[in-house]
Amino acid sequence: MGDQVLEDMVRVIRGFRPNLVINGWGGVHTGHGHHQASGLLTPKAVQFAADSSFKLRGSSAEEGDLTPWGDRKPVVVLDLDRSEAPKGYLLPVDDISPLYGKSWREMGLDAFANHRSQELPRF
């Protein structure tokens, strides 16, 4: 399922080299098919991004360093639990980012408003 999508996700993760990957759709088995696929593929993409045996097809020099980093840089997948009794990390969504001068909640709402493929700007 989703071989090209999985490869694209690995390409993005290797390119950005994040410390944390938030899987906003982990454990979702109902609703929008793209959300379900995202939730299922995110943990695999993080795993393959660190795996030197997972080769990317058609990589170019313009894309930068897309080699796996293995143990050099940890990546945590944070699944957002949508249950009645969530477990896991508390995120300080109302703290102000020193880099952007906005709360994490405000930045999330900005991203939400710019999700044009879902016609959310009208919302």
Side-chain angles (χ1 to χ4, degrees), residues 74-101:
V75 175
V76 175
V77 174
L78 176 62
D79 282 320
L80 297 183
D81 188 346
R82 298 174 189 279
S83 70
E84 293 287 325
K87 301 176 192 81
Y89 301 98
L90 290 176
L91 299 176
V93 295
D94 290 315
D95 286 2
I96 304 297
S97 163
L99 182 60
Y100 297 106

mmCIF file of all heavy atoms in Angstrom, residues 74-101:
data_model
loop_
_atom_site.group_PDB
_atom_site.id
_atom_site.type_symbol
_atom_site.label_atom_id
_atom_site.label_comp_id
_atom_site.label_asym_id
_atom_site.label_seq_id
_atom_site.Cartn_x
_atom_site.Cartn_y
_atom_site.Cartn_z
ATOM 1 N N PRO A 74 17.948 11.027 16.803
ATOM 2 C CA PRO A 74 16.722 10.312 17.183
ATOM 3 C C PRO A 74 15.475 10.991 16.629
ATOM 4 O O PRO A 74 15.407 12.203 16.518
ATOM 5 C CB PRO A 74 16.734 10.404 18.710
ATOM 6 C CG PRO A 74 17.535 11.616 19.006
ATOM 7 C CD PRO A 74 18.561 11.735 17.905
ATOM 8 N N VAL A 75 14.513 10.177 16.247
ATOM 9 C CA VAL A 75 13.215 10.671 15.813
ATOM 10 C C VAL A 75 12.165 9.931 16.621
ATOM 11 O O VAL A 75 12.196 8.717 16.723
ATOM 12 C CB VAL A 75 12.980 10.421 14.306
ATOM 13 C CG1 VAL A 75 11.576 10.824 13.910
ATOM 14 C CG2 VAL A 75 13.998 11.183 13.487
ATOM 15 N N VAL A 76 11.272 10.659 17.211
ATOM 16 C CA VAL A 76 10.186 10.085 17.983
ATOM 17 C C VAL A 76 8.903 10.276 17.198
ATOM 18 O O VAL A 76 8.646 11.361 16.695
ATOM 19 C CB VAL A 76 10.049 10.802 19.357
ATOM 20 C CG1 VAL A 76 8.851 10.288 20.115
ATOM 21 C CG2 VAL A 76 11.324 10.642 20.162
ATOM 22 N N VAL A 77 8.123 9.234 17.075
ATOM 23 C CA VAL A 77 6.806 9.379 16.465
ATOM 24 C C VAL A 77 5.819 9.585 17.589
ATOM 25 O O VAL A 77 5.712 8.773 18.500
ATOM 26 C CB VAL A 77 6.409 8.138 15.647
ATOM 27 C CG1 VAL A 77 4.984 8.257 15.149
ATOM 28 C CG2 VAL A 77 7.346 7.946 14.479
ATOM 29 N N LEU A 78 5.130 10.695 17.570
ATOM 30 C CA LEU A 78 4.135 11.016 18.586
ATOM 31 C C LEU A 78 2.766 10.824 17.955
ATOM 32 O O LEU A 78 2.357 11.588 17.093
ATOM 33 C CB LEU A 78 4.314 12.455 19.062
ATOM 34 C CG LEU A 78 3.299 12.992 20.055
ATOM 35 C CD1 LEU A 78 3.334 12.193 21.347
ATOM 36 C CD2 LEU A 78 3.573 14.446 20.348
ATOM 37 N N ASP A 79 2.084 9.757 18.369
ATOM 38 C CA ASP A 79 0.733 9.520 17.874
ATOM 39 C C ASP A 79 -0.228 10.320 18.728
ATOM 40 O O ASP A 79 -0.209 10.233 19.951
ATOM 41 C CB ASP A 79 0.364 8.035 17.976
ATOM 42 C CG ASP A 79 0.979 7.211 16.866
ATOM 43 O OD1 ASP A 79 1.007 7.695 15.728
ATOM 44 O OD2 ASP A 79 1.433 6.088 17.148
ATOM 45 N N LEU A 80 -1.058 11.117 18.090
ATOM 46 C CA LEU A 80 -2.079 11.867 18.814
ATOM 47 C C LEU A 80 -3.241 10.932 19.088
ATOM 48 O O LEU A 80 -3.876 10.432 18.169
ATOM 49 C CB LEU A 80 -2.535 13.083 18.013
ATOM 50 C CG LEU A 80 -1.456 14.123 17.743
ATOM 51 C CD1 LEU A 80 -2.048 15.304 17.000
ATOM 52 C CD2 LEU A 80 -0.806 14.594 19.025
ATOM 53 N N ASP A 81 -3.481 10.690 20.359
ATOM 54 C CA ASP A 81 -4.518 9.765 20.791
ATOM 55 C C ASP A 81 -5.850 10.491 20.815
ATOM 56 O O ASP A 81 -6.000 11.500 21.484
ATOM 57 C CB ASP A 81 -4.151 9.249 22.188
ATOM 58 C CG ASP A 81 -5.056 8.137 22.666
ATOM 59 O OD1 ASP A 81 -6.121 7.925 22.066
ATOM 60 O OD2 ASP A 81 -4.677 7.483 23.655
ATOM 61 N N ARG A 82 -6.824 9.987 20.085
ATOM 62 C CA ARG A 82 -8.130 10.627 19.996
ATOM 63 C C ARG A 82 -9.162 9.932 20.893
ATOM 64 O O ARG A 82 -10.350 10.066 20.693
ATOM 65 C CB ARG A 82 -8.606 10.634 18.552
ATOM 66 C CG ARG A 82 -7.677 11.437 17.668
ATOM 67 C CD ARG A 82 -8.083 11.324 16.220
ATOM 68 N NE ARG A 82 -7.080 11.910 15.358
ATOM 69 C CZ ARG A 82 -6.973 13.210 15.115
ATOM 70 N NH1 ARG A 82 -7.785 14.056 15.651
ATOM 71 N NH2 ARG A 82 -6.034 13.656 14.311
ATOM 72 N N SER A 83 -8.689 9.198 21.897
ATOM 73 C CA SER A 83 -9.614 8.473 22.761
ATOM 74 C C SER A 83 -10.083 9.352 23.916
ATOM 75 O O SER A 83 -9.630 10.474 24.100
ATOM 76 C CB SER A 83 -8.932 7.217 23.311
ATOM 77 O OG SER A 83 -7.924 7.579 24.233
ATOM 78 N N GLU A 84 -10.984 8.796 24.723
ATOM 79 C CA GLU A 84 -11.521 9.520 25.882
ATOM 80 C C GLU A 84 -10.455 9.727 26.957
ATOM 81 O O GLU A 84 -10.501 10.691 27.706
ATOM 82 C CB GLU A 84 -12.699 8.733 26.482
ATOM 83 C CG GLU A 84 -13.910 8.668 25.580
ATOM 84 C CD GLU A 84 -14.638 10.000 25.500
ATOM 85 O OE1 GLU A 84 -14.689 10.720 26.512
ATOM 86 O OE2 GLU A 84 -15.153 10.307 24.405
ATOM 87 N N ALA A 85 -9.515 8.804 27.067
ATOM 88 C CA ALA A 85 -8.468 8.886 28.090
ATOM 89 C C ALA A 85 -7.095 8.817 27.427
ATOM 90 O O ALA A 85 -6.421 7.798 27.471
ATOM 91 C CB ALA A 85 -8.627 7.745 29.098
ATOM 92 N N PRO A 86 -6.650 9.909 26.788
ATOM 93 C CA PRO A 86 -5.372 9.872 26.079
ATOM 94 C C PRO A 86 -4.195 9.691 27.037
ATOM 95 O O PRO A 86 -4.236 10.124 28.172
ATOM 96 C CB PRO A 86 -5.309 11.227 25.377
ATOM 97 C CG PRO A 86 -6.229 12.100 26.146
ATOM 98 C CD PRO A 86 -7.286 11.221 26.718
ATOM 99 N N LYS A 87 -3.171 9.027 26.517
ATOM 100 C CA LYS A 87 -1.930 8.825 27.273
ATOM 101 C C LYS A 87 -0.795 9.415 26.440
ATOM 102 O O LYS A 87 -0.910 9.549 25.242
ATOM 103 C CB LYS A 87 -1.679 7.337 27.486
ATOM 104 C CG LYS A 87 -2.780 6.622 28.220
ATOM 105 C CD LYS A 87 -2.485 5.135 28.284
ATOM 106 C CE LYS A 87 -3.680 4.356 28.736
ATOM 107 N NZ LYS A 87 -4.641 4.108 27.691
ATOM 108 N N GLY A 88 0.299 9.750 27.061
ATOM 109 C CA GLY A 88 1.442 10.220 26.289
ATOM 110 C C GLY A 88 1.936 11.568 26.745
ATOM 111 O O GLY A 88 1.865 11.899 27.922
ATOM 112 N N TYR A 89 2.424 12.352 25.810
ATOM 113 C CA TYR A 89 3.048 13.629 26.090
ATOM 114 C C TYR A 89 2.017 14.757 26.154
ATOM 115 O O TYR A 89 1.074 14.775 25.396
ATOM 116 C CB TYR A 89 4.053 13.980 24.988
ATOM 117 C CG TYR A 89 5.147 12.979 24.817
ATOM 118 C CD1 TYR A 89 5.065 12.016 23.814
ATOM 119 C CD2 TYR A 89 6.252 12.985 25.640
ATOM 120 C CE1 TYR A 89 6.060 11.089 23.645
ATOM 121 C CE2 TYR A 89 7.255 12.060 25.480
ATOM 122 C CZ TYR A 89 7.159 11.110 24.474
ATOM 123 O OH TYR A 89 8.141 10.195 24.319
ATOM 124 N N LEU A 90 2.241 15.699 27.044
ATOM 125 C CA LEU A 90 1.462 16.925 27.045
ATOM 126 C C LEU A 90 2.237 17.951 26.233
ATOM 127 O O LEU A 90 3.425 18.160 26.458
ATOM 128 C CB LEU A 90 1.260 17.443 28.467
ATOM 129 C CG LEU A 90 0.339 16.617 29.351
ATOM 130 C CD1 LEU A 90 0.309 17.200 30.766
ATOM 131 C CD2 LEU A 90 -1.065 16.597 28.783
ATOM 132 N N LEU A 91 1.580 18.573 25.289
ATOM 133 C CA LEU A 91 2.236 19.576 24.472
ATOM 134 C C LEU A 91 1.799 20.961 24.922
ATOM 135 O O LEU A 91 0.607 21.219 25.049
ATOM 136 C CB LEU A 91 1.885 19.378 22.999
ATOM 137 C CG LEU A 91 2.299 18.040 22.396
ATOM 138 C CD1 LEU A 91 1.807 17.940 20.958
ATOM 139 C CD2 LEU A 91 3.792 17.868 22.454
ATOM 140 N N PRO A 92 2.744 21.862 25.171
ATOM 141 C CA PRO A 92 2.421 23.212 25.651
ATOM 142 C C PRO A 92 1.915 24.104 24.515
ATOM 143 O O PRO A 92 2.605 25.025 24.074
ATOM 144 C CB PRO A 92 3.751 23.700 26.211
ATOM 145 C CG PRO A 92 4.777 22.994 25.374
ATOM 146 C CD PRO A 92 4.181 21.650 25.048
ATOM 147 N N VAL A 93 0.699 23.853 24.047
ATOM 148 C CA VAL A 93 0.205 24.526 22.850
ATOM 149 C C VAL A 93 -0.015 26.018 23.037
ATOM 150 O O VAL A 93 -0.091 26.755 22.060
ATOM 151 C CB VAL A 93 -1.088 23.863 22.323
ATOM 152 C CG1 VAL A 93 -0.814 22.456 21.854
ATOM 153 C CG2 VAL A 93 -2.192 23.897 23.352
ATOM 154 N N ASP A 94 -0.100 26.487 24.276
ATOM 155 C CA ASP A 94 -0.303 27.914 24.487
ATOM 156 C C ASP A 94 0.991 28.661 24.809
ATOM 157 O O ASP A 94 0.974 29.876 24.983
ATOM 158 C CB ASP A 94 -1.343 28.140 25.599
ATOM 159 C CG ASP A 94 -2.737 27.723 25.129
ATOM 160 O OD1 ASP A 94 -3.101 28.074 23.997
ATOM 161 O OD2 ASP A 94 -3.433 27.035 25.882
ATOM 162 N N ASP A 95 2.127 27.942 24.872
ATOM 163 C CA ASP A 95 3.420 28.603 25.029
ATOM 164 C C ASP A 95 3.744 29.356 23.742
ATOM 165 O O ASP A 95 3.339 28.958 22.650
ATOM 166 C CB ASP A 95 4.530 27.585 25.302
ATOM 167 C CG ASP A 95 4.475 27.019 26.709
ATOM 168 O OD1 ASP A 95 3.550 27.379 27.468
ATOM 169 O OD2 ASP A 95 5.345 26.195 27.041
ATOM 170 N N ILE A 96 4.487 30.428 23.879
ATOM 171 C CA ILE A 96 4.865 31.251 22.729
ATOM 172 C C ILE A 96 6.196 30.757 22.160
ATOM 173 O O ILE A 96 7.167 30.583 22.896
ATOM 174 C CB ILE A 96 4.982 32.743 23.128
ATOM 175 C CG1 ILE A 96 3.678 33.244 23.751
ATOM 176 C CG2 ILE A 96 5.392 33.597 21.935
ATOM 177 C CD1 ILE A 96 2.478 33.207 22.826
ATOM 178 N N SER A 97 6.238 30.550 20.858
ATOM 179 C CA SER A 97 7.475 30.162 20.196
ATOM 180 C C SER A 97 8.412 31.359 20.177
ATOM 181 O O SER A 97 8.042 32.427 19.678
ATOM 182 C CB SER A 97 7.187 29.722 18.766
ATOM 183 O OG SER A 97 8.379 29.711 18.006
ATOM 184 N N PRO A 98 9.641 31.220 20.696
ATOM 185 C CA PRO A 98 10.573 32.344 20.652
ATOM 186 C C PRO A 98 10.988 32.698 19.225
ATOM 187 O O PRO A 98 11.352 33.828 18.950
ATOM 188 C CB PRO A 98 11.774 31.852 21.460
ATOM 189 C CG PRO A 98 11.658 30.371 21.512
ATOM 190 C CD PRO A 98 10.204 30.040 21.346
ATOM 191 N N LEU A 99 10.884 31.747 18.320
ATOM 192 C CA LEU A 99 11.284 31.988 16.936
ATOM 193 C C LEU A 99 10.199 32.732 16.152
ATOM 194 O O LEU A 99 10.488 33.646 15.392
ATOM 195 C CB LEU A 99 11.601 30.656 16.247
ATOM 196 C CG LEU A 99 12.083 30.716 14.804
ATOM 197 C CD1 LEU A 99 13.380 31.516 14.698
ATOM 198 C CD2 LEU A 99 12.280 29.315 14.267
ATOM 199 N N TYR A 100 8.926 32.363 16.367
ATOM 200 C CA TYR A 100 7.838 32.925 15.567
ATOM 201 C C TYR A 100 6.988 33.957 16.301
ATOM 202 O O TYR A 100 6.192 34.654 15.686
ATOM 203 C CB TYR A 100 6.934 31.805 15.034
ATOM 204 C CG TYR A 100 7.674 30.873 14.116
ATOM 205 C CD1 TYR A 100 8.036 29.600 14.534
ATOM 206 C CD2 TYR A 100 8.027 31.270 12.831
ATOM 207 C CE1 TYR A 100 8.728 28.740 13.683
ATOM 208 C CE2 TYR A 100 8.712 30.418 11.983
ATOM 209 C CZ TYR A 100 9.062 29.154 12.417
ATOM 210 O OH TYR A 100 9.743 28.318 11.593
ATOM 211 N N GLY A 101 7.104 34.034 17.631
ATOM 212 C CA GLY A 101 6.354 35.025 18.391
ATOM 213 C C GLY A 101 4.858 34.755 18.464
ATOM 214 O O GLY A 101 4.076 35.643 18.754
#
